[in-house]
PDB file of all heavy atoms in Angstrom:
ATOM      1  N   GLY D 164     -13.448 -12.798  12.043  1.00  0.00           N
ATOM      2  CA  GLY D 164     -13.211 -13.339  10.732  1.00  0.00           C
ATOM      3  C   GLY D 164     -13.543 -12.295   9.674  1.00  0.00           C
ATOM      4  O   GLY D 164     -14.010 -11.191  10.007  1.00  0.00           O
ATOM      5  N   VAL D 165     -13.429 -12.709   8.413  1.00  0.00           N
ATOM      6  CA  VAL D 165     -13.777 -11.812   7.275  1.00  0.00           C
ATOM      7  C   VAL D 165     -15.185 -12.178   6.843  1.00  0.00           C
ATOM      8  O   VAL D 165     -15.282 -13.381   6.302  1.00  0.00           O
ATOM      9  CB  VAL D 165     -12.801 -11.917   6.099  1.00  0.00           C
ATOM     10  CG1 VAL D 165     -13.293 -11.028   4.965  1.00  0.00           C
ATOM     11  CG2 VAL D 165     -11.428 -11.499   6.595  1.00  0.00           C
ATOM     12  N   VAL D 166     -16.176 -11.392   6.978  1.00  0.00           N
ATOM     13  CA  VAL D 166     -17.606 -11.743   6.694  1.00  0.00           C
ATOM     14  C   VAL D 166     -17.715 -11.697   5.182  1.00  0.00           C
ATOM     15  O   VAL D 166     -17.266 -10.728   4.542  1.00  0.00           O
ATOM     16  CB  VAL D 166     -18.619 -10.827   7.316  1.00  0.00           C
ATOM     17  CG1 VAL D 166     -19.941 -11.060   6.830  1.00  0.00           C
ATOM     18  CG2 VAL D 166     -18.489 -10.984   8.821  1.00  0.00           C
ATOM     19  N   THR D 167     -18.260 -12.711   4.590  1.00  0.00           N
ATOM     20  CA  THR D 167     -18.432 -12.759   3.059  1.00  0.00           C
ATOM     21  C   THR D 167     -19.939 -12.646   2.657  1.00  0.00           C
ATOM     22  O   THR D 167     -20.128 -12.066   1.562  1.00  0.00           O
ATOM     23  CB  THR D 167     -17.951 -14.206   2.547  1.00  0.00           C
ATOM     24  OG1 THR D 167     -18.625 -15.301   3.299  1.00  0.00           O
ATOM     25  CG2 THR D 167     -16.484 -14.284   2.854  1.00  0.00           C
ATOM     26  N   ARG D 168     -20.836 -13.056   3.482  1.00  0.00           N
ATOM     27  CA  ARG D 168     -22.272 -12.927   3.124  1.00  0.00           C
ATOM     28  C   ARG D 168     -23.118 -12.744   4.337  1.00  0.00           C
ATOM     29  O   ARG D 168     -22.800 -13.266   5.477  1.00  0.00           O
ATOM     30  CB  ARG D 168     -22.846 -14.131   2.288  1.00  0.00           C
ATOM     31  CG  ARG D 168     -21.990 -14.493   1.108  1.00  0.00           C
ATOM     32  CD  ARG D 168     -22.842 -15.086  -0.033  1.00  0.00           C
ATOM     33  NE  ARG D 168     -23.661 -16.310   0.433  1.00  0.00           N
ATOM     34  CZ  ARG D 168     -24.580 -16.907  -0.271  1.00  0.00           C
ATOM     35  NH1 ARG D 168     -24.851 -16.413  -1.432  1.00  0.00           N
ATOM     36  NH2 ARG D 168     -25.232 -17.886   0.167  1.00  0.00           N
ATOM     37  N   LEU D 169     -24.241 -12.021   4.248  1.00  0.00           N
ATOM     38  CA  LEU D 169     -25.080 -11.760   5.304  1.00  0.00           C
ATOM     39  C   LEU D 169     -26.513 -12.086   4.854  1.00  0.00           C
ATOM     40  O   LEU D 169     -26.938 -11.693   3.689  1.00  0.00           O
ATOM     41  CB  LEU D 169     -25.012 -10.417   5.970  1.00  0.00           C
ATOM     42  CG  LEU D 169     -23.699 -10.064   6.597  1.00  0.00           C
ATOM     43  CD1 LEU D 169     -22.919  -9.051   5.654  1.00  0.00           C
ATOM     44  CD2 LEU D 169     -23.884  -9.363   7.949  1.00  0.00           C
ATOM     45  N   THR D 170     -27.344 -12.632   5.790  1.00  0.00           N
ATOM     46  CA  THR D 170     -28.842 -12.718   5.490  1.00  0.00           C
ATOM     47  C   THR D 170     -29.523 -11.829   6.384  1.00  0.00           C
ATOM     48  O   THR D 170     -29.290 -11.722   7.615  1.00  0.00           O
ATOM     49  CB  THR D 170     -29.230 -14.242   5.878  1.00  0.00           C
ATOM     50  OG1 THR D 170     -28.521 -15.089   4.912  1.00  0.00           O
ATOM     51  CG2 THR D 170     -30.667 -14.420   5.485  1.00  0.00           C
ATOM     52  N   LEU D 171     -30.375 -11.030   5.658  1.00  0.00           N
ATOM     53  CA  LEU D 171     -31.080  -9.839   6.334  1.00  0.00           C
ATOM     54  C   LEU D 171     -32.640 -10.106   6.281  1.00  0.00           C
ATOM     55  O   LEU D 171     -33.191 -10.527   5.289  1.00  0.00           O
ATOM     56  CB  LEU D 171     -30.807  -8.599   5.758  1.00  0.00           C
ATOM     57  CG  LEU D 171     -29.321  -8.203   5.504  1.00  0.00           C
ATOM     58  CD1 LEU D 171     -29.150  -6.907   4.694  1.00  0.00           C
ATOM     59  CD2 LEU D 171     -28.655  -8.033   6.850  1.00  0.00           C
ATOM     60  N   ASP D 172     -33.321  -9.911   7.421  1.00  0.00           N
ATOM     61  CA  ASP D 172     -34.782  -9.938   7.425  1.00  0.00           C
ATOM     62  C   ASP D 172     -35.292  -8.860   6.522  1.00  0.00           C
ATOM     63  O   ASP D 172     -34.827  -7.729   6.413  1.00  0.00           O
ATOM     64  CB  ASP D 172     -35.224  -9.642   8.828  1.00  0.00           C
ATOM     65  CG  ASP D 172     -34.785 -10.665   9.886  1.00  0.00           C
ATOM     66  OD1 ASP D 172     -34.443 -11.802   9.545  1.00  0.00           O
ATOM     67  OD2 ASP D 172     -34.702 -10.363  11.065  1.00  0.00           O
ATOM     68  N   LEU D 173     -36.450  -9.169   5.872  1.00  0.00           N
ATOM     69  CA  LEU D 173     -37.174  -8.289   4.941  1.00  0.00           C
ATOM     70  C   LEU D 173     -38.502  -7.992   5.472  1.00  0.00           C
ATOM     71  O   LEU D 173     -39.144  -8.731   6.256  1.00  0.00           O
ATOM     72  CB  LEU D 173     -37.225  -8.816   3.544  1.00  0.00           C
ATOM     73  CG  LEU D 173     -36.009  -9.138   2.841  1.00  0.00           C
ATOM     74  CD1 LEU D 173     -36.286  -9.838   1.487  1.00  0.00           C
ATOM     75  CD2 LEU D 173     -35.240  -7.817   2.582  1.00  0.00           C
ATOM     76  N   VAL D 174     -39.002  -6.828   5.169  1.00  0.00           N
ATOM     77  CA  VAL D 174     -40.488  -6.457   5.378  1.00  0.00           C
ATOM     78  C   VAL D 174     -41.013  -6.009   4.118  1.00  0.00           C
ATOM     79  O   VAL D 174     -40.363  -5.849   3.122  1.00  0.00           O
ATOM     80  CB  VAL D 174     -40.537  -5.248   6.382  1.00  0.00           C
ATOM     81  CG1 VAL D 174     -39.944  -5.619   7.742  1.00  0.00           C
ATOM     82  CG2 VAL D 174     -39.815  -3.985   5.745  1.00  0.00           C
ATOM     83  N   PRO D 175     -42.351  -5.973   3.967  1.00  0.00           N
ATOM     84  CA  PRO D 175     -42.979  -5.556   2.797  1.00  0.00           C
ATOM     85  C   PRO D 175     -42.489  -4.154   2.276  1.00  0.00           C
ATOM     86  O   PRO D 175     -42.342  -3.325   3.195  1.00  0.00           O
ATOM     87  CB  PRO D 175     -44.451  -5.530   3.076  1.00  0.00           C
ATOM     88  CG  PRO D 175     -44.638  -6.552   4.174  1.00  0.00           C
ATOM     89  CD  PRO D 175     -43.326  -6.399   5.020  1.00  0.00           C
ATOM     90  N   ALA D 176     -42.365  -3.927   0.995  1.00  0.00           N
ATOM     91  CA  ALA D 176     -41.917  -2.701   0.545  1.00  0.00           C
ATOM     92  C   ALA D 176     -42.904  -1.543   0.894  1.00  0.00           C
ATOM     93  O   ALA D 176     -44.161  -1.863   0.995  1.00  0.00           O
ATOM     94  CB  ALA D 176     -41.792  -2.649  -0.995  1.00  0.00           C
ATOM     95  N   PHE D 177     -42.398  -0.353   1.193  1.00  0.00           N
ATOM     96  CA  PHE D 177     -43.322   0.693   1.488  1.00  0.00           C
ATOM     97  C   PHE D 177     -42.834   2.087   0.920  1.00  0.00           C
ATOM     98  O   PHE D 177     -41.547   2.144   0.519  1.00  0.00           O
ATOM     99  CB  PHE D 177     -43.465   0.824   3.029  1.00  0.00           C
ATOM    100  CG  PHE D 177     -42.228   0.944   3.748  1.00  0.00           C
ATOM    101  CD1 PHE D 177     -41.650   2.269   4.171  1.00  0.00           C
ATOM    102  CD2 PHE D 177     -41.452  -0.174   4.204  1.00  0.00           C
ATOM    103  CE1 PHE D 177     -40.546   2.376   4.836  1.00  0.00           C
ATOM    104  CE2 PHE D 177     -40.349  -0.005   4.832  1.00  0.00           C
ATOM    105  CZ  PHE D 177     -39.839   1.231   5.214  1.00  0.00           C
ATOM    106  N   ASP D 178     -43.636   3.015   0.806  1.00  0.00           N
ATOM    107  CA  ASP D 178     -43.263   4.353   0.453  1.00  0.00           C
ATOM    108  C   ASP D 178     -43.043   5.337   1.601  1.00  0.00           C
ATOM    109  O   ASP D 178     -43.735   5.085   2.660  1.00  0.00           O
ATOM    110  CB  ASP D 178     -44.157   4.967  -0.593  1.00  0.00           C
ATOM    111  CG  ASP D 178     -44.067   4.274  -1.961  1.00  0.00           C
ATOM    112  OD1 ASP D 178     -43.073   3.650  -2.236  1.00  0.00           O
ATOM    113  OD2 ASP D 178     -45.073   4.404  -2.720  1.00  0.00           O
ATOM    114  N   VAL D 179     -42.375   6.409   1.419  1.00  0.00           N
ATOM    115  CA  VAL D 179     -42.137   7.371   2.507  1.00  0.00           C
ATOM    116  C   VAL D 179     -42.281   8.776   1.979  1.00  0.00           C
ATOM    117  O   VAL D 179     -41.931   9.015   0.878  1.00  0.00           O
ATOM    118  CB  VAL D 179     -40.719   7.163   3.094  1.00  0.00           C
ATOM    119  CG1 VAL D 179     -40.353   8.341   4.113  1.00  0.00           C
ATOM    120  CG2 VAL D 179     -40.544   5.774   3.736  1.00  0.00           C
ATOM    121  N   GLN D 180     -42.889   9.671   2.803  1.00  0.00           N
ATOM    122  CA  GLN D 180     -42.898  11.068   2.544  1.00  0.00           C
ATOM    123  C   GLN D 180     -41.909  11.749   3.597  1.00  0.00           C
ATOM    124  O   GLN D 180     -41.856  11.328   4.672  1.00  0.00           O
ATOM    125  CB  GLN D 180     -44.266  11.712   2.788  1.00  0.00           C
ATOM    126  CG  GLN D 180     -45.251  11.282   1.753  1.00  0.00           C
ATOM    127  CD  GLN D 180     -46.584  11.884   2.105  1.00  0.00           C
ATOM    128  OE1 GLN D 180     -47.430  11.319   2.880  1.00  0.00           O
ATOM    129  NE2 GLN D 180     -47.003  13.054   1.611  1.00  0.00           N
ATOM    130  N   GLN D 181     -41.166  12.653   3.069  1.00  0.00           N
ATOM    131  CA  GLN D 181     -40.210  13.318   3.917  1.00  0.00           C
ATOM    132  C   GLN D 181     -40.394  14.806   3.973  1.00  0.00           C
ATOM    133  O   GLN D 181     -40.584  15.474   2.862  1.00  0.00           O
ATOM    134  CB  GLN D 181     -38.771  12.937   3.389  1.00  0.00           C
ATOM    135  CG  GLN D 181     -37.580  13.661   4.182  1.00  0.00           C
ATOM    136  CD  GLN D 181     -36.303  13.167   3.745  1.00  0.00           C
ATOM    137  OE1 GLN D 181     -35.373  12.878   4.646  1.00  0.00           O
ATOM    138  NE2 GLN D 181     -35.968  13.074   2.453  1.00  0.00           N
ATOM    139  N   TRP D 182     -40.369  15.397   5.139  1.00  0.00           N
ATOM    140  CA  TRP D 182     -40.418  16.921   5.302  1.00  0.00           C
ATOM    141  C   TRP D 182     -39.331  17.342   6.229  1.00  0.00           C
ATOM    142  O   TRP D 182     -38.878  16.557   7.056  1.00  0.00           O
ATOM    143  CB  TRP D 182     -41.805  17.236   5.905  1.00  0.00           C
ATOM    144  CG  TRP D 182     -43.061  16.923   5.175  1.00  0.00           C
ATOM    145  CD1 TRP D 182     -43.613  17.724   4.133  1.00  0.00           C
ATOM    146  CD2 TRP D 182     -43.933  15.830   5.288  1.00  0.00           C
ATOM    147  NE1 TRP D 182     -44.720  17.108   3.622  1.00  0.00           N
ATOM    148  CE2 TRP D 182     -44.917  15.945   4.348  1.00  0.00           C
ATOM    149  CE3 TRP D 182     -44.045  14.748   6.126  1.00  0.00           C
ATOM    150  CZ2 TRP D 182     -45.937  15.053   4.207  1.00  0.00           C
ATOM    151  CZ3 TRP D 182     -44.963  13.867   6.050  1.00  0.00           C
ATOM    152  CH2 TRP D 182     -45.979  14.042   5.068  1.00  0.00           C
ATOM    153  N   VAL D 183     -38.989  18.477   5.989  1.00  0.00           N
ATOM    154  CA  VAL D 183     -38.035  19.134   6.938  1.00  0.00           C
ATOM    155  C   VAL D 183     -38.735  20.361   7.611  1.00  0.00           C
ATOM    156  O   VAL D 183     -39.378  21.220   6.916  1.00  0.00           O
ATOM    157  CB  VAL D 183     -36.832  19.745   6.189  1.00  0.00           C
ATOM    158  CG1 VAL D 183     -35.853  20.504   7.096  1.00  0.00           C
ATOM    159  CG2 VAL D 183     -36.045  18.538   5.612  1.00  0.00           C
ATOM    160  N   TYR D 184     -38.706  20.468   8.948  1.00  0.00           N
ATOM    161  CA  TYR D 184     -39.165  21.630   9.724  1.00  0.00           C
ATOM    162  C   TYR D 184     -37.966  22.297  10.363  1.00  0.00           C
ATOM    163  O   TYR D 184     -36.929  21.714  10.661  1.00  0.00           O
ATOM    164  CB  TYR D 184     -40.155  21.062  10.843  1.00  0.00           C
ATOM    165  CG  TYR D 184     -41.569  20.883  10.319  1.00  0.00           C
ATOM    166  CD1 TYR D 184     -41.913  19.606   9.835  1.00  0.00           C
ATOM    167  CD2 TYR D 184     -42.476  21.874  10.354  1.00  0.00           C
ATOM    168  CE1 TYR D 184     -43.109  19.251   9.362  1.00  0.00           C
ATOM    169  CE2 TYR D 184     -43.775  21.561   9.833  1.00  0.00           C
ATOM    170  CZ  TYR D 184     -44.119  20.355   9.374  1.00  0.00           C
ATOM    171  OH  TYR D 184     -45.369  20.072   8.857  1.00  0.00           O
ATOM    172  N   GLU D 185     -38.122  23.612  10.425  1.00  0.00           N
ATOM    173  CA  GLU D 185     -37.037  24.457  10.973  1.00  0.00           C
ATOM    174  C   GLU D 185     -37.344  25.161  12.209  1.00  0.00           C
ATOM    175  O   GLU D 185     -38.549  25.467  12.536  1.00  0.00           O
ATOM    176  CB  GLU D 185     -36.637  25.480   9.885  1.00  0.00           C
ATOM    177  CG  GLU D 185     -36.079  24.902   8.594  1.00  0.00           C
ATOM    178  CD  GLU D 185     -35.707  25.884   7.547  1.00  0.00           C
ATOM    179  OE1 GLU D 185     -36.565  26.704   7.174  1.00  0.00           O
ATOM    180  OE2 GLU D 185     -34.553  25.792   7.095  1.00  0.00           O
ATOM    181  N   ASP D 186     -36.360  25.295  13.093  1.00  0.00           N
ATOM    182  CA  ASP D 186     -36.434  26.052  14.294  1.00  0.00           C
ATOM    183  C   ASP D 186     -37.444  25.592  15.342  1.00  0.00           C
ATOM    184  O   ASP D 186     -38.433  26.208  15.709  1.00  0.00           O
ATOM    185  CB  ASP D 186     -36.812  27.610  13.998  1.00  0.00           C
ATOM    186  CG  ASP D 186     -35.656  28.212  13.196  1.00  0.00           C
ATOM    187  OD1 ASP D 186     -34.526  27.875  13.329  1.00  0.00           O
ATOM    188  OD2 ASP D 186     -35.945  29.213  12.507  1.00  0.00           O
ATOM    189  N   LEU D 187     -37.281  24.269  15.687  1.00  0.00           N
ATOM    190  CA  LEU D 187     -38.115  23.695  16.682  1.00  0.00           C
ATOM    191  C   LEU D 187     -37.586  24.231  18.042  1.00  0.00           C
ATOM    192  O   LEU D 187     -36.490  24.130  18.418  1.00  0.00           O
ATOM    193  CB  LEU D 187     -37.895  22.158  16.762  1.00  0.00           C
ATOM    194  CG  LEU D 187     -38.592  21.385  17.785  1.00  0.00           C
ATOM    195  CD1 LEU D 187     -40.100  21.265  17.435  1.00  0.00           C
ATOM    196  CD2 LEU D 187     -38.075  20.034  17.990  1.00  0.00           C
ATOM    197  N   PRO D 188     -38.525  24.780  18.902  1.00  0.00           N
ATOM    198  CA  PRO D 188     -38.137  25.338  20.200  1.00  0.00           C
ATOM    199  C   PRO D 188     -37.542  24.160  21.088  1.00  0.00           C
ATOM    200  O   PRO D 188     -38.164  23.118  21.091  1.00  0.00           O
ATOM    201  CB  PRO D 188     -39.432  25.829  20.753  1.00  0.00           C
ATOM    202  CG  PRO D 188     -40.313  26.101  19.551  1.00  0.00           C
ATOM    203  CD  PRO D 188     -39.975  25.063  18.540  1.00  0.00           C
ATOM    204  N   GLN D 189     -36.445  24.502  21.749  1.00  0.00           N
ATOM    205  CA  GLN D 189     -35.855  23.499  22.677  1.00  0.00           C
ATOM    206  C   GLN D 189     -36.887  23.075  23.724  1.00  0.00           C
ATOM    207  O   GLN D 189     -36.739  21.953  24.218  1.00  0.00           O
ATOM    208  CB  GLN D 189     -34.529  24.062  23.274  1.00  0.00           C
ATOM    209  CG  GLN D 189     -33.352  24.020  22.307  1.00  0.00           C
ATOM    210  CD  GLN D 189     -32.118  24.182  23.077  1.00  0.00           C
ATOM    211  OE1 GLN D 189     -31.970  23.842  24.261  1.00  0.00           O
ATOM    212  NE2 GLN D 189     -31.066  24.715  22.378  1.00  0.00           N
ATOM    213  N   SER D 190     -37.783  23.930  24.099  1.00  0.00           N
ATOM    214  CA  SER D 190     -38.698  23.613  25.072  1.00  0.00           C
ATOM    215  C   SER D 190     -39.537  22.361  24.725  1.00  0.00           C
ATOM    216  O   SER D 190     -40.053  21.657  25.632  1.00  0.00           O
ATOM    217  CB  SER D 190     -39.666  24.740  25.371  1.00  0.00           C
ATOM    218  OG  SER D 190     -40.332  25.067  24.190  1.00  0.00           O
ATOM    219  N   GLN D 191     -39.635  21.999  23.447  1.00  0.00           N
ATOM    220  CA  GLN D 191     -40.437  20.808  22.970  1.00  0.00           C
ATOM    221  C   GLN D 191     -39.706  19.642  23.304  1.00  0.00           C
ATOM    222  O   GLN D 191     -40.384  18.481  23.400  1.00  0.00           O
ATOM    223  CB  GLN D 191     -40.606  21.034  21.614  1.00  0.00           C
ATOM    224  CG  GLN D 191     -41.477  22.079  21.029  1.00  0.00           C
ATOM    225  CD  GLN D 191     -42.993  22.005  21.381  1.00  0.00           C
ATOM    226  OE1 GLN D 191     -43.417  20.927  22.060  1.00  0.00           O
ATOM    227  NE2 GLN D 191     -43.710  23.051  21.222  1.00  0.00           N
ATOM    228  N   ILE D 192     -38.416  19.669  23.640  1.00  0.00           N
ATOM    229  CA  ILE D 192     -37.699  18.314  23.937  1.00  0.00           C
ATOM    230  C   ILE D 192     -37.016  18.507  25.376  1.00  0.00           C
ATOM    231  O   ILE D 192     -36.171  17.775  25.631  1.00  0.00           O
ATOM    232  CB  ILE D 192     -36.564  17.995  22.938  1.00  0.00           C
ATOM    233  CG1 ILE D 192     -35.663  19.168  22.718  1.00  0.00           C
ATOM    234  CG2 ILE D 192     -37.248  17.624  21.508  1.00  0.00           C
ATOM    235  CD1 ILE D 192     -34.472  18.821  21.824  1.00  0.00           C
ATOM    236  N   ALA D 193     -37.619  19.379  26.148  1.00  0.00           N
ATOM    237  CA  ALA D 193     -37.015  19.598  27.518  1.00  0.00           C
ATOM    238  C   ALA D 193     -37.320  18.607  28.505  1.00  0.00           C
ATOM    239  O   ALA D 193     -36.586  18.537  29.511  1.00  0.00           O
ATOM    240  CB  ALA D 193     -37.521  20.948  28.033  1.00  0.00           C
ATOM    241  N   ASP D 194     -38.196  17.594  28.282  1.00  0.00           N
ATOM    242  CA  ASP D 194     -38.511  16.514  29.110  1.00  0.00           C
ATOM    243  C   ASP D 194     -38.677  15.322  28.398  1.00  0.00           C
ATOM    244  O   ASP D 194     -38.813  15.401  27.122  1.00  0.00           O
ATOM    245  CB  ASP D 194     -39.697  16.879  30.057  1.00  0.00           C
ATOM    246  CG  ASP D 194     -40.943  17.176  29.206  1.00  0.00           C
ATOM    247  OD1 ASP D 194     -41.298  16.450  28.254  1.00  0.00           O
ATOM    248  OD2 ASP D 194     -41.668  18.058  29.683  1.00  0.00           O
TER     249      ASP D 194
END
Side-chain angles (χ1 to χ4, degrees):
V165 177
V166 175
T167 57
R168 305 210 310 168
L169 295 105
T170 299
L171 307 173
D172 299 334
L173 297 175
V174 298
F177 58 93
D178 286 344
V179 173
Q180 292 178 272
Q181 179 171 223
W182 295 278
V183 175
Y184 280 86
E185 297 181 303
D186 296 334
L187 177 76
Q189 281 196 29
S190 58
Q191 297 290 353
I192 56 172
D194 57 45

